[in-house]
Amino acid sequence: MTTALRTPPQTAAAPAAGLRATARIVARVDEEGGATRLPVLDGDGPFALRRVRGPGGQARVCVVGAMSAPLGGDRLAIEATAEAGAALHLTAAAATVALPGRTADHATYDVRLRVDDGARLDWLPEPLISAAGSALRMTTTVELAPTAHLVLREEQVLGRSGEETGALRSRIVVRRGGRTLLDQETAYGPGAPGWDTSAVLDGHRALGQLLVVKPEFDQCPAEVRLLGEAAGERSGDGAGQGVLAPLAGPAALATAVAPDALRLRRLLDEAARSAAAG
C-alpha cells in the first residue's frame, strides 16, 4: 500500500524508532434496517480507510496506503471486529511493500480480527511484497464465535522483480469458540534455513493461503482438491501448485506456491470457488 513516500529527517539526531500506527474497524448491524454499518472506522499513519459500496447489507472497507510502510522499526496493526450478525468485507487498494528502514530493527505488522456469532468477515488484502534488505514479522490473530463465518486470504511475494527477498516471518493463529483451529508459522529469506529448497518453495517466489471457516462444513466437510500442476495441469509457463484440504473445526485450508503473484491468485481463486461450492 504505497501512495506517498516518507522522507527521513536530514539531521544526525533523528530518532531510530519507527512509526507506530493502528487502524480500527467495527461493523455492527443496524437494528432498524438490518444492514451492517461502521460505527468505528479509524485510520492511522499509513492506513487510510475508505468505505466501498457493497451488495445487500454488507459493509465494505478498502485500505489505501497513505505512505511507504512498513519500514524497519515500524509497529503497525489493523484491528477489525464484525459484531453479531454483521457482514464485513475488507480489502486493499494495492500491495503492501516491506522495505528497509533507518534502523536495523525488524518491522511488525499485526492483524487482529474478531468475528462474533452469526457474523461474517472476509479479509482479502492484496499481496505483501518482501523487498530486499527488509525484515518483517507479521502476525494474524483471529477469534471466531462458534457460528461465525470467515474467509481469509494471505499472499506473499518474496522480492520485487529481479531482486532477492527480505527476511519475512509470518504466523497465523485462529481460534474458534476459544479452541485453536489453526496455528502456523513460516519463515523465508536470510536467517531462515531451507526455505528455498525443493522441500519448501523449490524456486517459487509467491506463496499464499486461503482459509475458509463456515458452520456448514460440520455437516459437509470440504473435499481434498489438488490445484494447478499438482492436479496435472500443464500450462507450459509454470502454473504453480497447491492443495485444498479440510481442517477440523469446521474449516478448509488451501496452500499454494507459484512463480508470481498473478498465478498464485489464480490458484487461490480456484480454491475459493471450490470451498464456496462445498
Side-chain angles (χ1 to χ4, degrees):
M1 300 177 293
T2 54
T3 58
L5 296 177
R6 253 189 293 171
T7 302
Q10 300 301 312
T11 62
L19 177 70
R20 269 61 174 169
T22 300
R24 296 178 176 85
I25 304 162
V26 174
R28 182 177 300 159
V29 172
D30 191 321
E31 295 182 358
E32 295 183 1
T36 299
R37 59 188 181 89
L38 299 167
V40 178
L41 191 63
D42 182 17
D44 188 20
F47 302 119
L49 306 180
R50 300 289 183 263
R51 300 171 189 259
V52 181
R53 288 191 178 186
Q58 184 185 60
R60 298 173 70 95
V61 176
C62 181
V63 181
V64 180
M67 62 179 68
S68 295
L71 308 183
D74 286 354
R75 301 290 182 263
L76 307 180
I78 293 181
E79 299 176 353
T81 298
E83 296 185 352
L88 176 61
H89 182 107
L90 301 174
T91 187
T96 297
V97 183
L99 296 165
R102 294 177 299 176
T103 170
D105 191 15
H106 66 270
T108 64
Y109 187 177
D110 296 327
V111 177
R112 297 185 282 268
L113 309 176
R114 195 188 87 202
V115 193
D116 292 344
D117 276 314
R120 171 171 178 149
L121 193 152
D122 291 55
W123 173 250
L124 301 170
E126 292 301 303
L128 169 72
I129 300 174
S130 178
S134 66
L136 176 65
R137 296 180 183 176
M138 184 170 184
T139 303
T140 301
T141 306
V142 186
E143 298 288 346
L144 300 172
T147 58
H149 189 139
L150 172 74
V151 178
L152 183 151
R153 184 180 69 213
E154 178 184 81
E155 298 170 315
Q156 298 164 347
V157 179
L158 303 181
R160 293 170 292 190
S161 179
E163 74 172 9
E164 297 296 320
T165 182
L168 175 61
R169 185 176 296 273
S170 176
R171 185 180 182 188
I172 298 178
V173 179
V174 181
R175 288 182 285 265
R176 179 176 180 263
R179 300 182 63 180
T180 300
L181 175 65
L182 178 67
D183 189 341
Q184 178 175 287
E185 183 170 0
T186 56
Y188 307 99
W195 66 274
D196 201 21
T197 64
S198 58
V200 186
L201 294 185
D202 194 21
H204 291 103
R205 283 297 182 270
L207 56 138
Q209 300 182 92
L210 177 82
L211 175 66
V212 178
V213 183
K214 60 180 183 179
E216 292 86 345
F217 281 150
D218 267 329
Q219 303 301 321
C220 185
E223 296 183 356
V224 175
R225 177 170 180 174
L226 301 179
L227 308 170
E229 292 173 335
E233 178 180 322
R234 292 293 181 265
S235 64
D237 61 352
Q241 56 188 306
V243 61
L244 172 68
L247 297 179
L253 177 67
T255 303
V257 295
D260 54 47
L262 177 60
R263 283 172 279 195
L264 176 66
R265 178 66 60 86
R266 290 173 182 166
L267 292 171
L268 295 182
D269 283 348
E270 179 184 347
R273 290 190 293 269
S274 181

